[in-house]
């Protein structure tokens, strides 16, 4: 099983550029999440989705957008990249979100210069 | 607001030693607690999930305990090996009384080094 797949693995952006981080899962999970991980800061929730067509903001949503048109895919959009968005981004999914495990992708390391 | 703290931030032990990693959380209204392992430059791998009604879970050399009333969990690693070197993260999912139960709140992790 592929689990949670993120692309790309690495990316360098210039300030003001836009990009989409892709995330897809093949476990038929209802819930999907985007986190960012900064050194010494732990993981912070950016956006989450409880099903196709439903998304909501997490702790640090500013500068990002998401969509969930299918159960499998949950892309994260950066519209105007800023140096503060340099981070490692993780996508995760879980079934229903209650008493079940969360599974994480391998991450996307983004540098904004 | 739920806060998760992991102590120590870093730990270095000789191979073969038994060790304990600590995780504490401020709001005891949780659904479950999950321990993860993260290797450098990699994603998070789930190690153990403890439901709020459980006291402990075991997988191989790993044993995780949960004391919900005191807001604490421990991850016990027996007979440590150099391959156990990684960052260990704990995360809690809030129970219904704590608001949305969709979101995991993470600690900052413990960096474990097992020396040969």
């Amino acid at each position: 099983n592929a689990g949670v797949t993120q692309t790309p693995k690495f990316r360098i952006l210039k300030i003001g550029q836009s990009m989409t981080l892709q995330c897809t899962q093949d476990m038929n999970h209802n819930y999907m999440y985007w986190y960012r991980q900064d050194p010494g800061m732990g993981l912070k929730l950016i956006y989450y989705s409880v099903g196709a067509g439903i998304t909501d903001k997490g702790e640090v949503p500013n500068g990002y957008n998401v969509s969930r048109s299918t159960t499998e895919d949950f892309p994260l959009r950066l519209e105007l990249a800023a140096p503060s968005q340099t981070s490692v981004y993780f996508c995760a999914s879980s079934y229903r979100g209650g008493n079940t495990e969360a599974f994480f992708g391998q991450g996307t390391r983004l540098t904004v210069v | 607001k739920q806060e998760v703290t992991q102590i120590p931030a870093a730990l270095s032990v000789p191979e073969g030693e038994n060790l304990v990693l600590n995780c504490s959380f401020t709001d005891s209204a949780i659904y479950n607690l999950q321990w993860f392992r993260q290797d450098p430059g990699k994603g998070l791998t789930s190690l153990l999930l403890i439901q709020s009604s459980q006291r402990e879970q075991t997988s191989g050399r790993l044993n995780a305990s949960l004391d919900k009333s005191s807001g604490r969990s421990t991850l016990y690693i027996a007979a440590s090996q150099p391959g156990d070197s990684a960052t260990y993260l704990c995360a809690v999912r809030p129970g219904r009384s704590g608001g949305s139960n969709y979101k995991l709140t993470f600690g900052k992790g413990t960096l474990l080094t097992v020396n040969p």
Side-chain angles (χ1 to χ4, degrees):
Chain A
N1 289 338
V4 179
T5 302
Q6 291 183 237
T7 56
K9 288 186 170 54
F10 304 93
R11 183 72 185 269
I12 298 175
L13 277 184
K14 294 184 178 178
I15 294 171
Q17 286 186 322
S18 299
M19 77 164 294
T20 299
L21 282 65
Q22 301 291 345
C23 175
T24 187
Q25 52 90 10
D26 62 358
M27 297 174 281
N28 201 31
H29 284 169
N30 312 74
Y31 295 172
M32 296 187 74
Y33 317 82
W34 275 105
Y35 288 87
R36 59 177 288 173
Q37 185 179 36
D38 301 302
M41 298 298 292
L43 280 87
K44 301 293 184 184
L45 182 66
I46 305 172
Y47 270 96
Y48 66 99
S49 169
V50 300
I54 306 170
T55 63
D56 206 349
K57 297 177 180 178
E59 299 172 82
V60 290
N62 292 344
Y64 307 95
N65 277 301
V66 295
S67 60
R68 183 98 181 267
S69 57
T70 66
T71 299
E72 295 78 20
D73 300 307
F74 190 41
L76 178 71
R77 178 83 177 162
L78 283 71
E79 289 294 346
L80 292 171
S84 61
Q85 294 177 306
T86 294
S87 187
V88 181
Y89 291 84
F90 289 102
C91 179
S93 72
S94 67
Y95 182 62
R96 291 185 178 172
N99 284 332
T100 57
E101 286 179 276
F103 294 88
F104 279 73
Q106 290 299 297
T108 295
R109 185 174 296 274
L110 175 67
T111 302
V112 182
V113 297
Chain B
K1 177 186 174 185
Q2 178 75 271
E3 293 184 1
V4 179
T5 303
Q6 291 188 248
I7 294 174
L11 180 65
S12 181
V13 300
E15 182 177 3
E17 190 161 300
N18 302 326
L19 60 99
V20 174
L21 307 180
N22 297 293
C23 173
S24 61
F25 46 96
T26 55
D27 186 348
S28 62
I30 64 169
Y31 246 50
N32 59 43
L33 182 144
Q34 197 167 352
W35 282 94
F36 294 89
R37 169 186 173 137
Q38 185 176 27
D39 293 290
K42 303 293 185 183
L44 280 68
T45 300
S46 179
L47 297 173
L48 289 164
L49 174 74
I50 310 179
Q51 311 293 0
S52 60
S53 59
Q54 296 176 319
R55 297 285 291 184
E56 65 178 56
Q57 280 283 356
T58 298
S59 176
R61 295 182 293 108
L62 305 180
N63 177 277
S65 68
L66 175 64
D67 184 343
K68 200 174 74 162
S69 61
S70 68
R72 294 183 180 183
S73 176
T74 62
L75 180 66
Y76 174 83
I77 302 177
S80 58
Q81 303 169 358
D84 294 329
S85 298
T87 297
Y88 290 80
L89 297 154
C90 72
V92 298
R93 187 181 301 282
R96 291 207 173 104
S97 62
S100 168
N101 69 349
Y102 309 135
K103 300 174 284 189
L104 288 171
T105 300
F106 282 84
K108 295 181 180 179
T110 294
L111 175 62
L112 173 65
T113 303
V114 181
N115 301 301

